[in-house]
Amino acid sequence: MQIREQLELVVNDALKDALAKGALELDEAPSAALERPRDESNGDWASTVAMRCAKQAKKNPREIAQIIVDHLPENDLIESVEIAGPGFINIRLTPASYQSVLFDVLVQKENYGKGEIPEGMRYVNLEYVSANPTGPMHVGHGRWAALGDATARVMRHAGYDVYEEFYINDAGVQMDLFGKSVACRYLQLLGQDIPMIENGYGGGYIKDIAQGIIDRDGDKWVDVDEETRTVEFREIAYAEMLQLMKDTLAGFGNKFDCWFSERSLYVDGPDGTSPVSRSIKAMDEKGYVYEKDGATWFRSTAFDDEKDRVMIKENGEFTYFMSDVAYHYDKLSRGFDHLINIWGADHHGYVKRCEAMLAAWGRPGALEVMLGQLVNLYRDGEAVRMSKRTGEMITFAELIDEVGVDATRYLMLSRSQDQPIDFDIEVAKKKDASNPVYYVQYAHARICSILRKAAPAGDAEAVVAGTKSMDELIEKLFADEADLSLLTHESEIALMRKMSEFGELVSDAARDRAAFRLTHYAQDLAALFHQFYTNCHVLGEDKELEKARLSLVNGTRIVLAKALDLLGVSAPAQM
């Protein structure tokens, strides 16, 4: 149980006792509902309960606050209480309460801060990136890759069961244009003087794919009929781009549970029906499908959409929206309680119609769309739009190659997804405190260095040489429990206070889909550690104090490493 929950129980007990003894007259005791004061000088926690029940109790809020304080039971959590302003109850905790937090960290290790599965949202489908397999991913896709993975990690630590999915847009007109573009480049490379098709894909990668076909098959496809050649080249190019996406994302640390093909939505299963037909039937049974002008429509205006949406055109072609309908119905059919889609901000117009279709199936609110803003790329403050190597768009893979996975992830996650990110390549590569990911990772490496110095020389050398793990060294170093009651310095308390926030932070970040908060937390924790290390000697002190401070150093390592892990960023033992 977190400190906040323990403390709320204490205050709630005070309220119940005051009611039972007649000091307060209320129909029922309200919840303490503690909050952290913005200014730490006002204490560790505060409650507005006195102001909230003043009208019902017919008393001045400050008088009510005093009654509550007078009825606080004996406890080991509260050091002092102050009634402030119109009736705030400001609470300052004992060092022992924070020492118990450190004890929990040391016992629970990487499980510290774990939550329980929220009611009614056990199984979550998180779909993200979902780029068209018609070219390399751009840096914006990189933001969704970082955001999706971190969101999944944070939600899992908070107790959700998250299934990560990539939707492959491998059907429709764009795939045919892709195949035709490769075919055109193929013929051009073999000497034919023909123009690129209208609206074709013109990137240098198209030429590379075509050259690869020539290297393998020569002019085999020149005299083949156009349709056959287009289909064959479309599938070759599709396979190559899809593999490039998979390789890039795997190298970035993404692990998708499913790569879902759009094409599969139109394929009949063993029961003789396809996801498309099943989704239309389910919507029709609810009375939200109708025919007009030879087309099949979804009555989305019944759910506050601005207009009804065509699913099947009068010529029998399926619309893009039809794929969305079938895909989301398929997700529901797979048993997910909640669906989360991460889309670019340019898809905002699709949100209402997609929410409407779930409402039509009787699942209002089951779809949540996270809309993300763009990434603005800079180099030393100057906007960057083209790759020096190719003269074209800088791809996600090129950014990773130049900057590295950790810096790319951390900086992509440094702001809320509804804000654009200004990503400076040169800042991301710096090895100093101006680079936030370096600053945090350096704190972790510094901690590991302290722990190695505290260990017997042979063990420390073995860790550096790679013949012994850091975990093995730590297990041996902390074989005996330390006396944590010795940790009373303000820098020590500040570190433990920050650790106490971790579980609540994870829970709130998961609930609000706000993984970016972990970057701020990691930087704050790293800064507090550096302050502690400046103010408190760790090694060479009294043996019992040294052991206690080493435990605090190790606890900081555990929480800092976990915060980085939830972001998908490594926690190096040496730098």
Side-chain angles (χ1 to χ4, degrees), residues 379-571:
R379 190 183 295 276
D380 278 334
E382 296 292 326
V384 177
R385 292 182 176 82
M386 298 296 174
S387 166
K388 289 182 179 178
R389 183 175 64 82
T390 65
E392 298 175 350
M393 170 195 78
I394 293 180
T395 67
F396 177 34
E398 286 176 315
L399 183 64
I400 297 171
D401 286 343
E402 182 169 358
V403 173
V405 170
D406 285 344
T408 302
R409 269 183 173 266
Y410 197 96
L411 294 177
M412 288 290 192
L413 292 166
S414 61
R415 303 186 73 176
S416 172
Q417 73 272 0
D418 57 8
Q419 297 178 310
I421 281 187
D422 293 338
F423 190 112
D424 194 303
I425 294 171
E426 295 306 319
V427 170
K429 290 158 61 177
K430 286 184 177 179
K431 307 295 184 185
D432 59 38
S434 68
N435 181 351
V437 66
Y438 181 86
Y439 179 75
V440 174
Q441 288 182 317
Y442 177 73
H444 185 272
R446 189 179 197 182
I447 288 170
C448 292
S449 175
I450 294 168
L451 296 174
R452 286 195 300 271
K453 288 177 182 177
D459 291 334
E461 291 168 0
V463 170
V464 173
T467 57
K468 179 178 283 190
S469 71
M470 197 70 199
D471 287 339
E472 290 174 307
L473 180 145
I474 288 168
E475 186 176 347
K476 186 174 180 180
L477 188 61
F478 296 101
D480 299 323
E481 285 190 11
D483 181 3
L484 303 183
S485 68
L486 298 174
L487 301 173
T488 57
H489 189 281
E490 62 180 359
S491 293
E492 296 165 340
I493 296 296
L495 257 184
M496 292 185 285
R497 182 188 292 118
K498 182 56 68 172
M499 290 184 205
S500 75
E501 299 173 11
F502 186 68
E504 185 181 2
L505 171 75
V506 170
S507 176
D508 290 349
R511 179 199 64 207
D512 300 336
R513 320 296 185 241
F516 75 95
R517 294 175 188 167
L518 271 294
T519 63
H520 304 320
Y521 178 85
Q523 287 162 239
D524 289 345
L525 186 62
L528 288 171
F529 171 75
H530 291 310
Q531 290 173 19
F532 155 78
Y533 190 66
T534 298
N535 297 331
C536 301
H537 293 130
V538 177
L539 304 178
E541 293 291 308
D542 168 83
K543 281 300 175 187
E544 289 304 312
L545 180 56
E546 178 181 296
K547 190 186 298 183
R549 284 181 172 170
L550 281 170
S551 294
L552 178 56
V553 168
N554 190 37
T556 307
R557 178 192 66 86
I558 291 168
V559 178
L560 193 57
K562 192 67 218 181
L564 287 171
D565 177 65
L566 295 182
L567 296 168
V569 175
S570 70

Side-chain angles (χ1 to χ4, degrees), residues 1 9 16 92 99 130 272 285 308 384 410 536 555 575:
M1 185 182 295
L9 288 176
K16 291 175 184 176
R92 193 171 300 280
Q99 291 154 7
S130 299
E285 288 173 348
D308 292 344
V384 177
Y410 197 96
C536 301
M575 292 174 69

